[in-house]
Amino acid sequence: GAVVSQHPSRVICKSGTSVKIECRSLDFQATTMFWYRQFPKQSLMLMATSNEGSKATYEQGVEKDKFLINHASLTLSTLTVTSAHPEDSSFYICSADSRASGARGTDTQYFGPGTRLTVL
Amino acid sequence: GESVGLHLPTLSVQEGDNSIINCAYSNSASDYFIWYKQESGKGPQFIIDIRSNMDKRQGQRVTVLLNKTVKHLSLQIAATQPGDSAVYFCAETFAGGYNKLIFGAGTRLAVHP
């Protein structure tokens, strides 16, 4: 089956620093990757849609200058949390979709294992 | 165990019983629905999906029911096992939605021996 990895799995940083999270599709090419944020005991909230070779599309209320997304290849997308603050502490999850944007199919997205970010 | 209402946050069942997890979706244009299972500290895991042209779909020990009239989705797990303990999310998407998934609030399933 399709595998998506995230690195690191857990990161603790000081307030004001930047943190980069990588999302990789290991055995397929992902035309689209999605980034989600999940606070404790809450659902997944879509932050942005990342398409290879183009700018990410951010959901309403998500600051694009704070959450920098780069989808440099068909197997890698990165999320950089810039000038992180304690309120950015959360579980960040990526997913990868092998289909062309808008194409329908089953088993839509493959999710990574998540990255736990703690900002002190 | 019993389901109570459409927004049950926690469901406790005895091992071997059947579980029913409910979800109310928001967008009447949604035409594809997926159930995910999320264990603590992990990413969501695909369970089963259903398209809007169907009202029932069965998998191994799981069944998804879709009622478009009231925008309601349910997941039935037969002979619930301790390994089924997790949080379950429904997700919806629609044609023209660029494959974006909108997740429901989630229900925690606790299976007791």
PDB file of all heavy atoms in Angstrom, chain A residues 34 38 43 46 59 91 97 100-109 111-113, chain B residues 31-32 36 38 41-44 46 49 51 89 93 95 98-101 103-104:
ATOM      1  N   PHE A  34      -1.751  17.657   1.215  1.00  0.00           N
ATOM      2  CA  PHE A  34      -2.567  18.496   2.085  1.00  0.00           C
ATOM      3  C   PHE A  34      -1.918  18.553   3.466  1.00  0.00           C
ATOM      4  O   PHE A  34      -1.363  17.573   3.943  1.00  0.00           O
ATOM      5  CB  PHE A  34      -3.979  17.929   2.221  1.00  0.00           C
ATOM      6  CG  PHE A  34      -4.724  17.803   0.917  1.00  0.00           C
ATOM      7  CD1 PHE A  34      -4.600  16.664   0.140  1.00  0.00           C
ATOM      8  CD2 PHE A  34      -5.548  18.826   0.476  1.00  0.00           C
ATOM      9  CE1 PHE A  34      -5.287  16.541  -1.062  1.00  0.00           C
ATOM     10  CE2 PHE A  34      -6.241  18.711  -0.721  1.00  0.00           C
ATOM     11  CZ  PHE A  34      -6.108  17.570  -1.489  1.00  0.00           C
ATOM     12  N   GLN A  38      -4.208  19.509  14.016  1.00  0.00           N
ATOM     13  CA  GLN A  38      -5.157  18.877  14.924  1.00  0.00           C
ATOM     14  C   GLN A  38      -4.786  19.219  16.362  1.00  0.00           C
ATOM     15  O   GLN A  38      -3.736  18.804  16.849  1.00  0.00           O
ATOM     16  CB  GLN A  38      -5.173  17.359  14.720  1.00  0.00           C
ATOM     17  CG  GLN A  38      -6.228  16.640  15.543  1.00  0.00           C
ATOM     18  CD  GLN A  38      -6.242  15.151  15.281  1.00  0.00           C
ATOM     19  OE1 GLN A  38      -5.220  14.535  15.001  1.00  0.00           O
ATOM     20  NE2 GLN A  38      -7.428  14.545  15.376  1.00  0.00           N
ATOM     21  N   SER A  43     -10.886  17.689  15.843  1.00  0.00           N
ATOM     22  CA  SER A  43     -10.814  17.083  14.519  1.00  0.00           C
ATOM     23  C   SER A  43      -9.647  17.659  13.736  1.00  0.00           C
ATOM     24  O   SER A  43      -8.959  18.577  14.179  1.00  0.00           O
ATOM     25  CB  SER A  43     -12.117  17.328  13.778  1.00  0.00           C
ATOM     26  OG  SER A  43     -12.140  16.607  12.567  1.00  0.00           O
ATOM     27  N   LEU A  46      -8.121  21.391   7.877  1.00  0.00           N
ATOM     28  CA  LEU A  46      -7.279  21.597   6.698  1.00  0.00           C
ATOM     29  C   LEU A  46      -6.659  22.986   6.753  1.00  0.00           C
ATOM     30  O   LEU A  46      -7.362  23.982   6.939  1.00  0.00           O
ATOM     31  CB  LEU A  46      -8.108  21.432   5.427  1.00  0.00           C
ATOM     32  CG  LEU A  46      -7.372  21.618   4.110  1.00  0.00           C
ATOM     33  CD1 LEU A  46      -6.302  20.542   3.932  1.00  0.00           C
ATOM     34  CD2 LEU A  46      -8.344  21.599   2.936  1.00  0.00           C
ATOM     35  N   GLU A  59      -6.332  27.739   3.422  1.00  0.00           N
ATOM     36  CA  GLU A  59      -7.708  27.868   3.885  1.00  0.00           C
ATOM     37  C   GLU A  59      -7.882  29.202   4.605  1.00  0.00           C
ATOM     38  O   GLU A  59      -6.913  29.813   5.077  1.00  0.00           O
ATOM     39  CB  GLU A  59      -8.066  26.714   4.817  1.00  0.00           C
ATOM     40  CG  GLU A  59      -8.075  25.367   4.114  1.00  0.00           C
ATOM     41  CD  GLU A  59      -9.074  25.289   2.973  1.00  0.00           C
ATOM     42  OE1 GLU A  59     -10.285  25.498   3.226  1.00  0.00           O
ATOM     43  OE2 GLU A  59      -8.637  25.040   1.827  1.00  0.00           O
ATOM     44  N   PHE A  91      -0.644  19.017  16.596  1.00  0.00           N
ATOM     45  CA  PHE A  91      -0.281  17.816  15.835  1.00  0.00           C
ATOM     46  C   PHE A  91      -0.501  18.155  14.368  1.00  0.00           C
ATOM     47  O   PHE A  91      -1.619  18.485  13.970  1.00  0.00           O
ATOM     48  CB  PHE A  91      -1.179  16.657  16.292  1.00  0.00           C
ATOM     49  CG  PHE A  91      -0.753  15.293  15.855  1.00  0.00           C
ATOM     50  CD1 PHE A  91       0.553  14.857  16.059  1.00  0.00           C
ATOM     51  CD2 PHE A  91      -1.660  14.416  15.281  1.00  0.00           C
ATOM     52  CE1 PHE A  91       0.948  13.580  15.678  1.00  0.00           C
ATOM     53  CE2 PHE A  91      -1.273  13.130  14.896  1.00  0.00           C
ATOM     54  CZ  PHE A  91       0.024  12.712  15.099  1.00  0.00           C
ATOM     55  N   ASP A  97      -2.072  12.721  -2.259  1.00  0.00           N
ATOM     56  CA  ASP A  97      -3.062  12.234  -3.206  1.00  0.00           C
ATOM     57  C   ASP A  97      -2.353  12.002  -4.531  1.00  0.00           C
ATOM     58  O   ASP A  97      -1.700  12.904  -5.050  1.00  0.00           O
ATOM     59  CB  ASP A  97      -4.172  13.285  -3.349  1.00  0.00           C
ATOM     60  CG  ASP A  97      -5.394  12.747  -4.043  1.00  0.00           C
ATOM     61  OD1 ASP A  97      -5.239  11.915  -4.957  1.00  0.00           O
ATOM     62  OD2 ASP A  97      -6.501  13.169  -3.679  1.00  0.00           O
ATOM     63  N   ALA A 100      -4.780  13.277 -10.198  1.00  0.00           N
ATOM     64  CA  ALA A 100      -4.763  14.659 -10.652  1.00  0.00           C
ATOM     65  C   ALA A 100      -5.841  15.418  -9.904  1.00  0.00           C
ATOM     66  O   ALA A 100      -6.862  14.853  -9.507  1.00  0.00           O
ATOM     67  CB  ALA A 100      -5.019  14.713 -12.160  1.00  0.00           C
ATOM     68  N   SER A 101      -5.618  16.693  -9.678  1.00  0.00           N
ATOM     69  CA  SER A 101      -6.565  17.515  -8.947  1.00  0.00           C
ATOM     70  C   SER A 101      -7.954  17.422  -9.559  1.00  0.00           C
ATOM     71  O   SER A 101      -8.136  17.618 -10.753  1.00  0.00           O
ATOM     72  CB  SER A 101      -6.095  18.971  -8.955  1.00  0.00           C
ATOM     73  OG  SER A 101      -7.026  19.797  -8.286  1.00  0.00           O
ATOM     74  N   GLY A 102      -8.933  17.078  -8.752  1.00  0.00           N
ATOM     75  CA  GLY A 102     -10.304  16.981  -9.227  1.00  0.00           C
ATOM     76  C   GLY A 102     -10.684  15.592  -9.679  1.00  0.00           C
ATOM     77  O   GLY A 102     -11.865  15.285  -9.807  1.00  0.00           O
ATOM     78  N   ALA A 103      -9.713  14.733  -9.915  1.00  0.00           N
ATOM     79  CA  ALA A 103     -10.029  13.367 -10.351  1.00  0.00           C
ATOM     80  C   ALA A 103     -10.615  12.607  -9.168  1.00  0.00           C
ATOM     81  O   ALA A 103     -10.177  12.758  -8.036  1.00  0.00           O
ATOM     82  CB  ALA A 103      -8.774  12.680 -10.872  1.00  0.00           C
ATOM     83  N   ARG A 104     -11.600  11.788  -9.442  1.00  0.00           N
ATOM     84  CA  ARG A 104     -12.275  11.071  -8.355  1.00  0.00           C
ATOM     85  C   ARG A 104     -11.746   9.660  -8.289  1.00  0.00           C
ATOM     86  O   ARG A 104     -11.229   9.107  -9.228  1.00  0.00           O
ATOM     87  CB  ARG A 104     -13.784  11.066  -8.561  1.00  0.00           C
ATOM     88  CG  ARG A 104     -14.394  12.383  -8.895  1.00  0.00           C
ATOM     89  CD  ARG A 104     -13.894  13.543  -8.035  1.00  0.00           C
ATOM     90  NE  ARG A 104     -14.130  13.440  -6.622  1.00  0.00           N
ATOM     91  CZ  ARG A 104     -15.316  13.677  -6.056  1.00  0.00           C
ATOM     92  NH1 ARG A 104     -16.358  13.953  -6.786  1.00  0.00           N
ATOM     93  NH2 ARG A 104     -15.443  13.609  -4.753  1.00  0.00           N
ATOM     94  N   GLY A 105     -11.885   9.066  -7.167  1.00  0.00           N
ATOM     95  CA  GLY A 105     -11.458   7.686  -7.000  1.00  0.00           C
ATOM     96  C   GLY A 105     -11.598   7.272  -5.568  1.00  0.00           C
ATOM     97  O   GLY A 105     -11.910   8.073  -4.708  1.00  0.00           O
ATOM     98  N   THR A 106     -11.392   6.029  -5.302  1.00  0.00           N
ATOM     99  CA  THR A 106     -11.547   5.541  -3.937  1.00  0.00           C
ATOM    100  C   THR A 106     -10.263   5.744  -3.151  1.00  0.00           C
ATOM    101  O   THR A 106      -9.218   6.058  -3.712  1.00  0.00           O
ATOM    102  CB  THR A 106     -11.909   4.056  -3.944  1.00  0.00           C
ATOM    103  OG1 THR A 106     -10.854   3.337  -4.601  1.00  0.00           O
ATOM    104  CG2 THR A 106     -13.210   3.822  -4.681  1.00  0.00           C
ATOM    105  N   ASP A 107     -10.389   5.558  -1.860  1.00  0.00           N
ATOM    106  CA  ASP A 107      -9.243   5.637  -0.968  1.00  0.00           C
ATOM    107  C   ASP A 107      -8.473   6.916  -1.250  1.00  0.00           C
ATOM    108  O   ASP A 107      -7.295   6.901  -1.570  1.00  0.00           O
ATOM    109  CB  ASP A 107      -8.361   4.410  -1.185  1.00  0.00           C
ATOM    110  CG  ASP A 107      -7.446   4.156   0.003  1.00  0.00           C
ATOM    111  OD1 ASP A 107      -7.478   4.948   0.945  1.00  0.00           O
ATOM    112  OD2 ASP A 107      -6.698   3.176  -0.044  1.00  0.00           O
ATOM    113  N   THR A 108      -9.143   8.044  -1.076  1.00  0.00           N
ATOM    114  CA  THR A 108      -8.706   9.309  -1.641  1.00  0.00           C
ATOM    115  C   THR A 108      -7.299   9.710  -1.281  1.00  0.00           C
ATOM    116  O   THR A 108      -6.508  10.059  -2.153  1.00  0.00           O
ATOM    117  CB  THR A 108      -9.631  10.429  -1.195  1.00  0.00           C
ATOM    118  OG1 THR A 108      -9.727  10.437   0.230  1.00  0.00           O
ATOM    119  CG2 THR A 108     -11.006  10.263  -1.776  1.00  0.00           C
ATOM    120  N   GLN A 109      -6.998   9.743  -0.013  1.00  0.00           N
ATOM    121  CA  GLN A 109      -5.716  10.283   0.403  1.00  0.00           C
ATOM    122  C   GLN A 109      -5.037   9.327   1.372  1.00  0.00           C
ATOM    123  O   GLN A 109      -5.685   8.612   2.119  1.00  0.00           O
ATOM    124  CB  GLN A 109      -5.923  11.626   1.100  1.00  0.00           C
ATOM    125  CG  GLN A 109      -6.521  12.690   0.207  1.00  0.00           C
ATOM    126  CD  GLN A 109      -6.837  13.964   0.942  1.00  0.00           C
ATOM    127  OE1 GLN A 109      -6.277  14.245   2.004  1.00  0.00           O
ATOM    128  NE2 GLN A 109      -7.747  14.751   0.394  1.00  0.00           N
ATOM    129  N   PHE A 111      -2.500   9.235   4.532  1.00  0.00           N
ATOM    130  CA  PHE A 111      -2.069  10.144   5.586  1.00  0.00           C
ATOM    131  C   PHE A 111      -0.726   9.738   6.174  1.00  0.00           C
ATOM    132  O   PHE A 111      -0.405   8.553   6.290  1.00  0.00           O
ATOM    133  CB  PHE A 111      -3.112  10.195   6.701  1.00  0.00           C
ATOM    134  CG  PHE A 111      -4.310  11.025   6.345  1.00  0.00           C
ATOM    135  CD1 PHE A 111      -5.344  10.488   5.602  1.00  0.00           C
ATOM    136  CD2 PHE A 111      -4.386  12.351   6.739  1.00  0.00           C
ATOM    137  CE1 PHE A 111      -6.455  11.258   5.253  1.00  0.00           C
ATOM    138  CE2 PHE A 111      -5.484  13.133   6.401  1.00  0.00           C
ATOM    139  CZ  PHE A 111      -6.520  12.582   5.653  1.00  0.00           C
ATOM    140  N   GLY A 112       0.035  10.765   6.539  1.00  0.00           N
ATOM    141  CA  GLY A 112       1.269  10.528   7.258  1.00  0.00           C
ATOM    142  C   GLY A 112       0.979  10.258   8.727  1.00  0.00           C
ATOM    143  O   GLY A 112      -0.155  10.419   9.188  1.00  0.00           O
ATOM    144  N   PRO A 113       1.996   9.901   9.482  1.00  0.00           N
ATOM    145  CA  PRO A 113       1.819   9.563  10.902  1.00  0.00           C
ATOM    146  C   PRO A 113       1.706  10.774  11.809  1.00  0.00           C
ATOM    147  O   PRO A 113       1.405  10.631  12.997  1.00  0.00           O
ATOM    148  CB  PRO A 113       3.069   8.753  11.226  1.00  0.00           C
ATOM    149  CG  PRO A 113       4.102   9.272  10.280  1.00  0.00           C
ATOM    150  CD  PRO A 113       3.366   9.619   9.023  1.00  0.00           C
TER     151      PRO A 113
ATOM    152  N   ASP B  31     -20.430  14.423  -2.359  1.00  0.00           N
ATOM    153  CA  ASP B  31     -20.851  13.203  -3.046  1.00  0.00           C
ATOM    154  C   ASP B  31     -19.949  12.018  -2.782  1.00  0.00           C
ATOM    155  O   ASP B  31     -20.104  10.956  -3.397  1.00  0.00           O
ATOM    156  CB  ASP B  31     -20.956  13.470  -4.553  1.00  0.00           C
ATOM    157  CG  ASP B  31     -19.623  13.868  -5.167  1.00  0.00           C
ATOM    158  OD1 ASP B  31     -18.631  14.026  -4.417  1.00  0.00           O
ATOM    159  OD2 ASP B  31     -19.567  14.015  -6.401  1.00  0.00           O
ATOM    160  N   TYR B  32     -18.986  12.202  -1.896  1.00  0.00           N
ATOM    161  CA  TYR B  32     -18.080  11.100  -1.586  1.00  0.00           C
ATOM    162  C   TYR B  32     -17.709  11.217  -0.120  1.00  0.00           C
ATOM    163  O   TYR B  32     -17.339  12.302   0.347  1.00  0.00           O
ATOM    164  CB  TYR B  32     -16.849  11.179  -2.489  1.00  0.00           C
ATOM    165  CG  TYR B  32     -15.841  10.077  -2.293  1.00  0.00           C
ATOM    166  CD1 TYR B  32     -16.211   8.746  -2.269  1.00  0.00           C
ATOM    167  CD2 TYR B  32     -14.497  10.387  -2.140  1.00  0.00           C
ATOM    168  CE1 TYR B  32     -15.279   7.737  -2.090  1.00  0.00           C
ATOM    169  CE2 TYR B  32     -13.551   9.387  -1.965  1.00  0.00           C
ATOM    170  CZ  TYR B  32     -13.949   8.068  -1.942  1.00  0.00           C
ATOM    171  OH  TYR B  32     -13.030   7.064  -1.778  1.00  0.00           O
ATOM    172  N   TYR B  36     -12.586   7.333   8.659  1.00  0.00           N
ATOM    173  CA  TYR B  36     -11.210   7.115   9.064  1.00  0.00           C
ATOM    174  C   TYR B  36     -11.164   6.711  10.536  1.00  0.00           C
ATOM    175  O   TYR B  36     -11.979   7.155  11.337  1.00  0.00           O
ATOM    176  CB  TYR B  36     -10.368   8.385   8.890  1.00  0.00           C
ATOM    177  CG  TYR B  36     -10.055   8.744   7.465  1.00  0.00           C
ATOM    178  CD1 TYR B  36     -10.847   9.641   6.759  1.00  0.00           C
ATOM    179  CD2 TYR B  36      -8.956   8.181   6.814  1.00  0.00           C
ATOM    180  CE1 TYR B  36     -10.548   9.978   5.438  1.00  0.00           C
ATOM    181  CE2 TYR B  36      -8.660   8.517   5.500  1.00  0.00           C
ATOM    182  CZ  TYR B  36      -9.467   9.412   4.820  1.00  0.00           C
ATOM    183  OH  TYR B  36      -9.173   9.736   3.520  1.00  0.00           O
ATOM    184  N   GLN B  38      -8.524   6.840  13.788  1.00  0.00           N
ATOM    185  CA  GLN B  38      -7.281   7.442  14.251  1.00  0.00           C
ATOM    186  C   GLN B  38      -6.956   6.953  15.658  1.00  0.00           C
ATOM    187  O   GLN B  38      -7.695   7.205  16.602  1.00  0.00           O
ATOM    188  CB  GLN B  38      -7.356   8.977  14.228  1.00  0.00           C
ATOM    189  CG  GLN B  38      -6.021   9.640  14.555  1.00  0.00           C
ATOM    190  CD  GLN B  38      -6.077  11.152  14.560  1.00  0.00           C
ATOM    191  OE1 GLN B  38      -7.117  11.747  14.846  1.00  0.00           O
ATOM    192  NE2 GLN B  38      -4.966  11.785  14.233  1.00  0.00           N
ATOM    193  N   GLY B  41      -1.940   9.516  18.718  1.00  0.00           N
ATOM    194  CA  GLY B  41      -0.615   9.878  18.244  1.00  0.00           C
ATOM    195  C   GLY B  41      -0.282   9.427  16.838  1.00  0.00           C
ATOM    196  O   GLY B  41       0.876   9.475  16.422  1.00  0.00           O
ATOM    197  N   LYS B  42      -1.297   9.008  16.090  1.00  0.00           N
ATOM    198  CA  LYS B  42      -1.070   8.529  14.728  1.00  0.00           C
ATOM    199  C   LYS B  42      -1.942   9.281  13.737  1.00  0.00           C
ATOM    200  O   LYS B  42      -2.870   9.981  14.105  1.00  0.00           O
ATOM    201  CB  LYS B  42      -1.366   7.030  14.631  1.00  0.00           C
ATOM    202  CG  LYS B  42      -0.465   6.164  15.500  1.00  0.00           C
ATOM    203  CD  LYS B  42      -0.775   4.701  15.290  1.00  0.00           C
ATOM    204  CE  LYS B  42       0.139   3.822  16.141  1.00  0.00           C
ATOM    205  NZ  LYS B  42      -0.151   2.373  15.953  1.00  0.00           N
ATOM    206  N   GLY B  43      -1.641   9.115  12.464  1.00  0.00           N
ATOM    207  CA  GLY B  43      -2.446   9.716  11.427  1.00  0.00           C
ATOM    208  C   GLY B  43      -3.693   8.893  11.160  1.00  0.00           C
ATOM    209  O   GLY B  43      -3.805   7.741  11.585  1.00  0.00           O
ATOM    210  N   PRO B  44      -4.676   9.465  10.472  1.00  0.00           N
ATOM    211  CA  PRO B  44      -5.911   8.736  10.160  1.00  0.00           C
ATOM    212  C   PRO B  44      -5.666   7.552   9.235  1.00  0.00           C
ATOM    213  O   PRO B  44      -4.822   7.615   8.348  1.00  0.00           O
ATOM    214  CB  PRO B  44      -6.773   9.796   9.464  1.00  0.00           C
ATOM    215  CG  PRO B  44      -6.191  11.105   9.863  1.00  0.00           C
ATOM    216  CD  PRO B  44      -4.728  10.852  10.032  1.00  0.00           C
ATOM    217  N   PHE B  46      -7.614   4.868   6.644  1.00  0.00           N
ATOM    218  CA  PHE B  46      -8.822   4.631   5.850  1.00  0.00           C
ATOM    219  C   PHE B  46      -9.531   3.358   6.312  1.00  0.00           C
ATOM    220  O   PHE B  46      -8.902   2.327   6.539  1.00  0.00           O
ATOM    221  CB  PHE B  46      -8.432   4.511   4.377  1.00  0.00           C
ATOM    222  CG  PHE B  46      -9.557   4.100   3.459  1.00  0.00           C
ATOM    223  CD1 PHE B  46     -10.351   5.064   2.873  1.00  0.00           C
ATOM    224  CD2 PHE B  46      -9.794   2.766   3.176  1.00  0.00           C
ATOM    225  CE1 PHE B  46     -11.376   4.697   2.010  1.00  0.00           C
ATOM    226  CE2 PHE B  46     -10.809   2.389   2.319  1.00  0.00           C
ATOM    227  CZ  PHE B  46     -11.607   3.363   1.738  1.00  0.00           C
ATOM    228  N   ASP B  49     -15.332   3.672   2.342  1.00  0.00           N
ATOM    229  CA  ASP B  49     -15.879   4.857   1.704  1.00  0.00           C
ATOM    230  C   ASP B  49     -17.204   4.534   1.032  1.00  0.00           C
ATOM    231  O   ASP B  49     -17.582   3.371   0.888  1.00  0.00           O
ATOM    232  CB  ASP B  49     -14.882   5.438   0.685  1.00  0.00           C
ATOM    233  CG  ASP B  49     -14.506   4.446  -0.422  1.00  0.00           C
ATOM    234  OD1 ASP B  49     -15.006   3.299  -0.411  1.00  0.00           O
ATOM    235  OD2 ASP B  49     -13.690   4.806  -1.279  1.00  0.00           O
ATOM    236  N   ARG B  51     -20.023   6.379  -2.080  1.00  0.00           N
ATOM    237  CA  ARG B  51     -20.411   7.471  -2.969  1.00  0.00           C
ATOM    238  C   ARG B  51     -21.886   7.794  -2.760  1.00  0.00           C
ATOM    239  O   ARG B  51     -22.653   6.964  -2.267  1.00  0.00           O
ATOM    240  CB  ARG B  51     -20.151   7.086  -4.419  1.00  0.00           C
ATOM    241  CG  ARG B  51     -18.691   6.876  -4.716  1.00  0.00           C
ATOM    242  CD  ARG B  51     -18.374   6.976  -6.195  1.00  0.00           C
ATOM    243  NE  ARG B  51     -16.941   6.845  -6.398  1.00  0.00           N
ATOM    244  CZ  ARG B  51     -16.084   7.833  -6.237  1.00  0.00           C
ATOM    245  NH1 ARG B  51     -16.494   9.007  -5.841  1.00  0.00           N
ATOM    246  NH2 ARG B  51     -14.797   7.638  -6.451  1.00  0.00           N
ATOM    247  N   PHE B  89     -13.496   9.315  12.490  1.00  0.00           N
ATOM    248  CA  PHE B  89     -13.917  10.538  11.810  1.00  0.00           C
ATOM    249  C   PHE B  89     -14.590  10.198  10.491  1.00  0.00           C
ATOM    250  O   PHE B  89     -14.121   9.323   9.755  1.00  0.00           O
ATOM    251  CB  PHE B  89     -12.714  11.424  11.484  1.00  0.00           C
ATOM    252  CG  PHE B  89     -12.004  11.991  12.670  1.00  0.00           C
ATOM    253  CD1 PHE B  89     -10.858  11.389  13.161  1.00  0.00           C
ATOM    254  CD2 PHE B  89     -12.468  13.132  13.289  1.00  0.00           C
ATOM    255  CE1 PHE B  89     -10.187  11.915  14.250  1.00  0.00           C
ATOM    256  CE2 PHE B  89     -11.803  13.672  14.389  1.00  0.00           C
ATOM    257  CZ  PHE B  89     -10.665  13.057  14.858  1.00  0.00           C
ATOM    258  N   THR B  93     -16.247  15.057   0.712  1.00  0.00           N
ATOM    259  CA  THR B  93     -15.680  15.849  -0.355  1.00  0.00           C
ATOM    260  C   THR B  93     -16.681  15.879  -1.500  1.00  0.00           C
ATOM    261  O   THR B  93     -17.658  15.137  -1.493  1.00  0.00           O
ATOM    262  CB  THR B  93     -14.312  15.291  -0.809  1.00  0.00           C
ATOM    263  OG1 THR B  93     -13.722  16.200  -1.733  1.00  0.00           O
ATOM    264  CG2 THR B  93     -14.465  13.924  -1.466  1.00  0.00           C
ATOM    265  N   ALA B  95     -17.312  16.905  -5.949  1.00  0.00           N
ATOM    266  CA  ALA B  95     -16.743  17.207  -7.259  1.00  0.00           C
ATOM    267  C   ALA B  95     -16.544  18.711  -7.367  1.00  0.00           C
ATOM    268  O   ALA B  95     -17.432  19.493  -7.037  1.00  0.00           O
ATOM    269  CB  ALA B  95     -17.681  16.717  -8.361  1.00  0.00           C
ATOM    270  N   TYR B  98     -11.636  19.892  -5.420  1.00  0.00           N
ATOM    271  CA  TYR B  98     -10.199  19.691  -5.536  1.00  0.00           C
ATOM    272  C   TYR B  98      -9.683  18.647  -4.548  1.00  0.00           C
ATOM    273  O   TYR B  98      -8.606  18.787  -4.000  1.00  0.00           O
ATOM    274  CB  TYR B  98      -9.451  21.021  -5.378  1.00  0.00           C
ATOM    275  CG  TYR B  98      -9.925  22.035  -6.381  1.00  0.00           C
ATOM    276  CD1 TYR B  98     -10.830  23.014  -6.017  1.00  0.00           C
ATOM    277  CD2 TYR B  98      -9.506  21.975  -7.709  1.00  0.00           C
ATOM    278  CE1 TYR B  98     -11.297  23.925  -6.948  1.00  0.00           C
ATOM    279  CE2 TYR B  98      -9.967  22.880  -8.636  1.00  0.00           C
ATOM    280  CZ  TYR B  98     -10.871  23.853  -8.257  1.00  0.00           C
ATOM    281  OH  TYR B  98     -11.334  24.746  -9.172  1.00  0.00           O
ATOM    282  N   ASN B  99     -10.500  17.650  -4.315  1.00  0.00           N
ATOM    283  CA  ASN B  99     -10.145  16.530  -3.446  1.00  0.00           C
ATOM    284  C   ASN B  99      -9.945  16.938  -1.980  1.00  0.00           C
ATOM    285  O   ASN B  99      -9.400  16.182  -1.202  1.00  0.00           O
ATOM    286  CB  ASN B  99      -8.894  15.807  -3.950  1.00  0.00           C
ATOM    287  CG  ASN B  99      -9.071  15.289  -5.365  1.00  0.00           C
ATOM    288  OD1 ASN B  99     -10.191  15.073  -5.812  1.00  0.00           O
ATOM    289  ND2 ASN B  99      -7.976  15.112  -6.060  1.00  0.00           N
ATOM    290  N   LYS B 100     -10.378  18.118  -1.603  1.00  0.00           N
ATOM    291  CA  LYS B 100     -10.245  18.536  -0.205  1.00  0.00           C
ATOM    292  C   LYS B 100     -11.230  17.766   0.649  1.00  0.00           C
ATOM    293  O   LYS B 100     -12.413  17.661   0.329  1.00  0.00           O
ATOM    294  CB  LYS B 100     -10.519  20.033  -0.062  1.00  0.00           C
ATOM    295  CG  LYS B 100      -9.468  20.908  -0.705  1.00  0.00           C
ATOM    296  CD  LYS B 100      -9.508  22.320  -0.169  1.00  0.00           C
ATOM    297  CE  LYS B 100     -10.812  23.019  -0.453  1.00  0.00           C
ATOM    298  NZ  LYS B 100     -10.784  24.431  -0.036  1.00  0.00           N
ATOM    299  N   LEU B 101     -10.716  17.249   1.755  1.00  0.00           N
ATOM    300  CA  LEU B 101     -11.558  16.523   2.692  1.00  0.00           C
ATOM    301  C   LEU B 101     -11.966  17.445   3.836  1.00  0.00           C
ATOM    302  O   LEU B 101     -11.133  18.157   4.395  1.00  0.00           O
ATOM    303  CB  LEU B 101     -10.817  15.317   3.271  1.00  0.00           C
ATOM    304  CG  LEU B 101     -10.519  14.161   2.326  1.00  0.00           C
ATOM    305  CD1 LEU B 101      -9.661  13.122   3.030  1.00  0.00           C
ATOM    306  CD2 LEU B 101     -11.799  13.526   1.822  1.00  0.00           C
ATOM    307  N   PHE B 103     -13.438  17.181   7.537  1.00  0.00           N
ATOM    308  CA  PHE B 103     -13.619  16.179   8.572  1.00  0.00           C
ATOM    309  C   PHE B 103     -14.711  16.569   9.550  1.00  0.00           C
ATOM    310  O   PHE B 103     -14.876  17.744   9.888  1.00  0.00           O
ATOM    311  CB  PHE B 103     -12.309  15.985   9.348  1.00  0.00           C
ATOM    312  CG  PHE B 103     -11.314  15.121   8.641  1.00  0.00           C
ATOM    313  CD1 PHE B 103     -10.538  15.617   7.621  1.00  0.00           C
ATOM    314  CD2 PHE B 103     -11.169  13.786   8.994  1.00  0.00           C
ATOM    315  CE1 PHE B 103      -9.625  14.807   6.956  1.00  0.00           C
ATOM    316  CE2 PHE B 103     -10.264  12.976   8.332  1.00  0.00           C
ATOM    317  CZ  PHE B 103      -9.497  13.483   7.307  1.00  0.00           C
ATOM    318  N   GLY B 104     -15.436  15.564  10.020  1.00  0.00           N
ATOM    319  CA  GLY B 104     -16.400  15.767  11.082  1.00  0.00           C
ATOM    320  C   GLY B 104     -15.699  15.850  12.430  1.00  0.00           C
ATOM    321  O   GLY B 104     -14.480  15.735  12.526  1.00  0.00           O
TER     322      GLY B 104
END
